[in-house]
C-alpha cells in the first residue's frame, strides 16, 4: 500500500444526502391552521351574522365539501367530473327520506302514514324503497354508502376501459341529466319537481329552533374541517403521489406494475362520498332537496367553483366554492337583473388572469414575499459586514 493509498483510506467518507424530516411543528401546521379557522368560524361569525346569514354560510360550506372532493378527483387525479350533483343528490335524498318519515311518524293527522305526494299518486302503502329509511342509522349510512357504491361501480366500469378526458366528463354529465329525469319521472317515490321539504324534527329535536340551527351550523363547520384534513392526508400520502403519477403518465404507471383503474376508482369514490355527505348536510340547513339543486347545472357550478379556487389545491377549491357562492348571493341581492353577467365576468377574469385560481395567486404572492424577505436578509447581512466600523488602534491605523 502506498502513502497516497493510506491518505485516501484515512479520508472521512462523504456525507450521504438525506431528506430532512419535517419537525413536529411543521407536521401540525396544517391541522393547527384548520383548528384556528374552525374556532374563528364558531366564535366570531355568530357575533356579526344573524341566523339567516349563518345558514347561508353553512350552505357555502356544504358546497366547499363537494369542491374538496372534486379537487382530489380532478386536480390530483385528472378526472374532470361534471356530474357530482348526482352524488350530492343521493346523499341529500337519503337523509330527506328519513326526515320525511320522521315527520309523518310524529303527525297523528298524516293520512295513512304516507307523504302527501304518495297519497296524491294513489299509493296506499309505503314503498319498499322507503321502509329502511325509517331508521336513522340506515339513513346516515346510506348518505355515504349509496354515492360511494354508485361511484365505485361507475368508476370501475369506465376506468378499466381507459375512458378519460372529455369522454369521462361527458359521461358524467349524461349521468347527471339521467338522474334528474329519473327523479322527476318517479313522482310517487321522490316528490317529482317539488322534491322533499318540511323537515321539522330529527331524532326528536325541533330543527327550526335556534338551538338546533346552531348545532347544525357547528356540525357543518366541523365536518368540513374533518373532510379537508382527511383529503389532505390522502393527497399527501404515497397513494396521493401515485394518483398524481396516474394523472401525468397513466401508461407509465401501468408499465411499472400498478393498476390505474383501482387508483382512479378509489379517488373518484372518495370524492362521491364527500359529495353525499355535503348533500345530507344541505338538507337540514336549507330545509329542502329538489331536482333543481342537482343535475347538470349545479354540477357545472361545482366545477367552476373549483376552477376559481384552484383545482390543484384542496384549500383553494374550498375557498373558491365559498367565494363564488357568496358573490352569487351578493350580486343577486344588489343587482337583481344582471347578477348572472357579473358572475360570468368574475369567472372569466379569474380564469384569464389566474389559470391556477385563487390558490395560484396566493402561492405567487407568498413566493414573492419569501424571495423579497430572503433578499433583504442577505443584503442586510452583507451591508452590515461592509458598513461595520473598522477597529483602529490608538494612532488611528486599522488593526
Amino acid at each position: 500500500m502506498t502513502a497516497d493509498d493510506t491518505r485516501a483510506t484515512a479520508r472521512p467518507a462523504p456525507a450521504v444526502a438525506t431528506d430532512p424530516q419535517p419537525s413536529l411543528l411543521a407536521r401540525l401546521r396544517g391541522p393547527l391552521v384548520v383548528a384556528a379557522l374552525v374556532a374563528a368560524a364558531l366564535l366570531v361569525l355568530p357575533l356579526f351574522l344573524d341566523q339567516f346569514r349563518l345558514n347561508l354560510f353553512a350552505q357555502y360550506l356544504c358546497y366547499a365539501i363537494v369542491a374538496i372532493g372534486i379537487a382530489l378527483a380532478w386536480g390530483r387525479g385528472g378526472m374532470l367530473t361534471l356530474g357530482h350533483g348526482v352524488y350530492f343528490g343521493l346523499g341529500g335524498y337519503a337523509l330527506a327520506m328519513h326526515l320525511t318519515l320522521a315527520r309523518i311518524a310524529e303527525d297523528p293527522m298524516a293520512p295513512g302514514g304516507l307523504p302527501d305526494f304518495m297519497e296524491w299518486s294513489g299509493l296506499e302503502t309505503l314503498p319498499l324503497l322507503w321502509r329502511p329509511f325509517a331508521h336513522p342509522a340506515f339513513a346516515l349510512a346510506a348518505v355515504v354508502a349509496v354515492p360511494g357504491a354508485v361511484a365505485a361501480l361507475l368508476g370501475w366500469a369506465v376506468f378499466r376501459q381507459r375512458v378519460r378526458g372529455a369522454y369521462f366528463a361527458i359521461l358524467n354529465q349524461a349521468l347527471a341529466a339521467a338522474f334528474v329525469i329519473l327523479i322527476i319521472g318517479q313522482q310517487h317515490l321522490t316528490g317529482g319537481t317539488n322534491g322533499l321539504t318540511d323537515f321539522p324534527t330529527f331524532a326528536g329535536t325541533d330543527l327550526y329552533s335556534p338551538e338546533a340551527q346552531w348545532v347544525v351550523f357547528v356540525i357543518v363547520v366541523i365536518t368540513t374541517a374533518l373532510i379537508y384534513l382527511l383529503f389532505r392526508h390522502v393527497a399527501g400520502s404515497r397513494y396521493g403521489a401515485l394518483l398524481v403519477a396516474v394523472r401525468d403518465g397513466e401508461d407509465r404507471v401501468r408499465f411499472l406494475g400498478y393498476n390505474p383503474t383501482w387508483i382512479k376508482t378509489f379517488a373518484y369514490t372518495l370524492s362521491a362520498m364527500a359529495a353525499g355527505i355535503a348533500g345530507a348536510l344541505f338538507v337540514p340547513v336549507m330545509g329542502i332537496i329538489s331536482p333543481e339543486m342537482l343535475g347538470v347545472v349545479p354540477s357545472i357550478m361545482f366545477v367552476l367553483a373549483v376552477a376559481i379556487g384552484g383545482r390543484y389545491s384542496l384549500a383553494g377549491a374550498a375557498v373558491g366554492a365559498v367565494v363564488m357562492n357568496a358573490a352569487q348571493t351578493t350580486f343577486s341581492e344588489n343587482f337583481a337583473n344582471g347578477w348572472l353577467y357579473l358572475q360570468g365576468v368574475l369567472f372569466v377574469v379569474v380564469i384569464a388572469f389566474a389559470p391556477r385560481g385563487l390558490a395560484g395567486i396566493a402561492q405567487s404572492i407568498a413566493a414573492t414575499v419569501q424571495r423579497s424577505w430572503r433578499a433583504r436578509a442577505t443584503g442586510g447581512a452583507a451591508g452590515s459586514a461592509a458598513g461595520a466600523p473598522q477597529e483602529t488602534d490608538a494612532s488611528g491605523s486599522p488593526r
Side-chain angles (χ1 to χ4, degrees), residues 74-98:
W74 183 27
R76 302 301 177 106
M79 296 170 279
L80 175 57
T81 169
L82 296 178
H84 259 50
V86 174
Y87 309 117
F88 185 84
L90 286 173
Y93 270 91
L95 186 62
M97 290 166 70
H98 168 72

Side-chain angles (χ1 to χ4, degrees), residues 187-207:
Q187 165 128 12
H188 62 292
L189 292 176
T190 62
T193 55
N194 296 324
L196 302 177
T197 185
D198 190 12
F199 313 120
T201 59
F202 177 68
T205 303
D206 182 9
L207 281 177

Side-chain angles (χ1 to χ4, degrees), residues 360-389:
I361 296 176
Q363 291 168 357
S364 299
I365 293 175
T368 302
V369 171
Q370 191 174 17
R371 283 196 302 270
S372 175
W373 181 81
R374 286 178 178 174
R376 184 174 301 176
T378 305
S384 299

